[in-house]
Amino acid sequence: MKIKVVNKGRQPLPAYATEQSAGMDLRANIEEPITLRPMERRLVPTGLYIALPPGYEAQVRPRSGLALKHGITVLNAPGTIDADYRGEVGVLLVNLSAEPFVVNDGERIAQMVIARHETAEFEPVDELDATVRGAGGYGHTGVK
């Protein structure tokens, strides 16, 4: 699949790290370092603008290494970039650790997964079919 991209930043285009990687790394495109204090969130620019084909979305997800080592994650994970969005791709980072974290220009801050999706249409009905689970919600299966 080809995705049109405008790169207004100084960073290389996202690429897969390995042949079977699902996500491509997104990099910070910033003029000066950003210090995220504990519990602080910031929208970090990437310099990228994309045009996805209809029926696809780009999901912005945390990088596992940043989450494990530093408590840095993507706040609205996964963030969705719709096929008709033409603005800059931004990454909403949050620092869940007790220590400040510095984001530097060019740092890999998130990953982007391209995914197909369906467009649904709701059909109003008077009742739903019965299932074994029924209305069992959060924690309904108990602790094993």
Side-chain angles (χ1 to χ4, degrees):
M1 163 191 314
K2 301 279 186 186
I3 296 174
K4 294 179 182 177
V5 59
V6 173
N7 187 355
K8 294 184 179 181
R10 297 171 300 285
Q11 313 310 326
L13 291 178
Y16 296 102
T18 67
E19 188 176 310
Q20 294 185 14
S21 293
M24 299 173 267
D25 286 331
L26 293 174
R27 296 176 182 270
N29 189 69
I30 51 181
E31 296 299 323
E32 56 190 40
I34 295 172
T35 299
L36 282 173
R37 295 183 311 273
M39 299 308 295
E40 184 179 11
R41 63 188 179 273
R42 291 280 295 271
L43 185 62
V44 181
T46 65
L48 300 173
Y49 300 74
I50 61 176
L52 295 165
Y56 287 86
E57 66 166 324
Q59 299 174 359
V60 178
R61 300 180 182 187
R63 292 194 67 240
S64 57
L66 283 180
L68 176 64
K69 296 173 188 172
H70 304 287
I72 304 301
T73 191
V74 175
L75 194 57
N76 61 327
T80 295
I81 302 168
D82 295 309
D84 59 351
Y85 176 67
R86 294 297 182 266
E88 182 176 9
V89 173
V91 177
L92 184 55
L93 290 182
V94 63
N95 181 354
L96 299 179
S97 78
E99 303 295 325
F101 179 80
V102 177
V103 178
N104 293 299
D105 185 46
E107 187 164 357
R108 296 178 299 157
I109 56 171
Q111 57 181 327
M112 180 171 63
V113 174
I114 306 302
R116 178 178 278 289
H117 69 83
E118 297 295 329
T119 300
E121 181 179 328
F122 285 102
E123 176 185 351
V125 296
D126 292 328
E127 61 184 56
L128 303 175
D129 59 311
T131 66
V132 172
R133 179 177 181 170
Y138 294 104
H140 83 282
T141 59
V143 177
K144 294 183 182 184

